[in-house]
Amino acid sequence: MAAIKIIINTFILIVSSILGFAFGNLYSKRAKSLLDLQYCIRVLESEIINGSFPLPQALENVSIKGKGGMSRIFKRIKEDLISEKREDIYESFLLQKDLLKDRFALKDEDIEVFLYLGKVLGKSSRRDQEENFKFIKSQLENLHLEAEAERMKNTKLYRTLGFLIGLGLVIILI
Amino acid sequence: MEIFQIIGIGIIATILIVILKSVRSDFAIYVSILTGIIIFSMVIHHLSYVIDTIRDLSRRANLEITYFSTILKIIGTAYIVEFGSQISRDAGQNSIAMKIELAGKIIIMTLAIPILMSLMDLIIKIMP
Amino acid sequence: MDVDLIFKIAGMGMVVAVLHIVLSKAGKEEYAYLTTLVGIVIVLGIVINLVSSLFNNVKVLFRLY
């Protein structure tokens, strides 16, 4: 009986700690996704500005060169663009909104920047695009810094919180 | 020996309360209430043995059983009142402690009135 | 009557205190307040039961009906 009790209590402690870690990782996921997105957009910029590839080809290249799961998003956009024969690339970007939110833990303001990219992509002269890329990159940089600060605070908080709540439960249940 | 257990519990509880008081004083009160209850529960069966013996004695001495039960009630009330007022005093609420004690005194007085009345009857009977 | 209960309550108090400190350091004062409240209610639930059992014991012992 005592052995079962000890096992159950350690189980509760471990589960709550894992839950705390999972919640904490949600915040670190956002920072990582933003970093990946930044990298992908930098690749896209060099493909478009320097390589002068057409948009589907540029997107394909990004999905090959890009980092993390984020590169898959660009592949999806390209496929959607070709299969649905979109006039406006913004609609293809809009389709990825839910995926970004669920899978990559991005917030609405991050997605807004991403959608802005879809709005301006391939619509104007090269110089304008360069300006726009610069703007998007600086904005993403700001968001990443903010996410990083939030991550530092929240990851630690949720880890401690998970462990402490587990400890409290164990103390109550003993 | 039970007394060593009780003293041990008391010392441990005191240390815990001192530690807790610096972080969260509200939990320290709970610990002190709990310690009081546990210590009382440990000695309660001794007390019941004593009370049984006294009752036996009073029966043998042909004392009236109502007086004895009244005295018992008074002792019990006094103990509970002491317990409650000490808790409030520990929590720094002196005025509440005073009110509890006042209520205890009044109730003890009402419990004692039958004895007082019988005493009066006795005096009136003796006086010509 | 088990002495473990004293340690249990003291442990709860310390856990709640640390939770309060952690949460208020992270700038979540309202949650810190809430956790303290929950801890106090739980402990109060435990203690109230014992107080009522003590009162019952005293009632039976001193015939305070």
Side-chain angles (χ1 to χ4, degrees):
Chain A
M1 200 58 208
I4 294 171
K5 224 168 187 177
I6 289 170
I7 288 169
I8 288 174
N9 283 336
T10 35
F11 183 71
I12 290 172
L13 208 61
I14 289 167
V15 165
S16 65
S17 302
I18 288 171
L19 271 177
F21 268 78
F23 266 104
N25 283 343
L26 215 66
Y27 285 93
S28 53
K29 203 173 185 182
R30 183 184 166 215
K32 193 180 173 303
S33 302
L34 278 174
L35 201 65
D36 285 349
L37 187 63
Q38 243 175 321
Y39 183 79
C40 286
I41 284 174
R42 215 169 292 141
V43 172
L44 186 66
E45 185 192 14
S46 70
E47 292 292 327
I48 288 175
I49 307 290
N50 303 330
S52 302
F53 288 111
L55 201 50
Q57 182 64 37
L59 288 171
E60 174 76 37
N61 284 349
V62 170
S63 76
I64 293 165
K65 290 179 190 166
K67 253 203 272 184
M70 199 50 89
S71 56
R72 233 170 343 134
I73 291 279
F74 288 90
K75 194 170 180 64
R76 281 174 63 112
I77 290 173
K78 178 223 156 196
E79 276 161 7
D80 185 65
L81 199 63
I82 289 173
S83 65
E84 302 282 325
K85 298 197 170 51
R86 298 268 188 213
E87 286 285 313
D88 192 355
I89 191 172
Y90 179 60
E91 282 170 30
S92 308
F93 271 71
L94 214 52
L95 280 177
Q96 315 301 326
K97 202 173 162 185
D98 289 338
L99 191 70
L100 278 172
K101 208 171 193 170
D102 298 339
R103 190 74 67 75
F104 296 98
L106 289 183
K107 285 191 176 171
D108 286 341
E109 59 239 52
D110 315 336
I111 293 172
E112 208 49 54
V113 175
F114 179 75
L115 291 181
Y116 180 70
L117 176 70
K119 262 183 212 162
V120 300
L121 206 58
K123 287 244 175 74
S124 50
S125 70
R126 185 182 288 190
R127 264 200 43 209
D128 272 0
Q129 291 209 27
E130 227 173 312
E131 287 291 310
N132 279 327
F133 267 116
K134 207 180 276 172
F135 171 68
I136 285 169
K137 266 169 21 188
S138 74
Q139 211 161 9
L140 275 179
E141 182 68 37
N142 283 343
L143 284 172
H144 178 246
L145 280 179
E146 181 204 313
E148 193 70 26
E150 205 176 345
R151 184 182 75 98
M152 289 297 275
K153 214 168 66 180
N154 281 309
T155 311
K156 219 172 177 181
L157 167 73
Y158 279 107
R159 281 177 193 174
T160 327
L161 217 62
F163 178 70
L164 281 176
I165 286 175
L167 200 66
L169 270 179
V170 167
I171 286 176
I172 292 172
L173 290 177
I174 274 179
Chain B
M1 281 292 276
E2 212 157 10
I3 186 68
F4 292 117
Q5 280 180 20
I6 290 170
I7 292 170
I9 291 170
I11 290 170
I12 288 166
T14 310
I15 292 165
L16 281 177
I17 289 167
V18 168
I19 293 169
L20 272 179
K21 210 154 221 166
S22 57
V23 275
R24 287 220 77 78
S25 47
D26 33 6
F27 281 86
I29 294 161
Y30 292 132
V31 174
S32 78
I33 294 173
L34 211 64
T35 315
I37 292 170
I38 286 172
I39 288 175
F40 181 73
S41 322
M42 283 178 89
V43 294
I44 203 164
H45 58 275
H46 294 292
L47 203 57
S48 72
Y49 172 67
V50 170
I51 286 171
D52 280 345
T53 315
I54 293 176
R55 181 179 298 124
D56 199 36
L57 225 61
S58 75
R59 201 177 297 126
R60 265 192 241 171
N62 262 337
L63 272 169
E64 237 182 285
I65 197 76
T66 49
Y67 296 156
F68 179 71
S69 73
T70 312
I71 289 168
L72 261 190
K73 275 180 189 167
I74 289 170
I75 295 170
T77 315
Y79 180 77
I80 286 291
V81 165
E82 186 66 21
F83 183 78
S85 75
Q86 283 297 339
I87 286 168
S88 336
R89 201 157 283 155
D90 275 350
Q93 298 296 324
N94 259 319
S95 54
I96 300 290
M98 295 286 276
K99 262 94 180 170
I100 291 174
E101 278 170 9
L102 178 72
K105 279 168 192 162
I106 290 171
I107 284 174
I108 286 173
M109 218 155 75
T110 44
L111 283 173
I113 278 180
I115 297 179
L116 195 72
M117 287 312 289
S118 64
L119 188 69
M120 284 293 170
D121 281 348
L122 202 67
I123 291 170
I124 288 168
K125 231 184 266 171
I126 287 169
M127 286 213 304
Chain C
M1 192 57 49
D2 38 351
V3 188
D4 297 355
L5 230 48
I6 295 180
F7 293 110
K8 203 172 176 177
I9 304 284
M12 276 295 287
M14 282 169 198
V15 166
V16 167
V18 175
L19 263 175
H20 186 95
I21 292 167
V22 166
L23 279 170
S24 55
K25 274 269 163 63
K28 291 185 163 49
E29 259 82 18
E30 65 274 21
Y31 288 109
Y33 180 69
L34 218 65
T35 42
T36 312
L37 200 65
V38 168
I40 286 177
V41 167
I42 289 170
V43 172
L44 191 65
I46 298 171
V47 173
I48 282 288
N49 272 330
L50 284 163
V51 170
S52 90
S53 79
L54 167 82
F55 284 175
N56 266 331
N57 275 342
V58 172
K59 250 195 215 164
V60 171
L61 191 65
F62 295 104
R63 310 249 172 345
L64 280 173
Y65 298 118

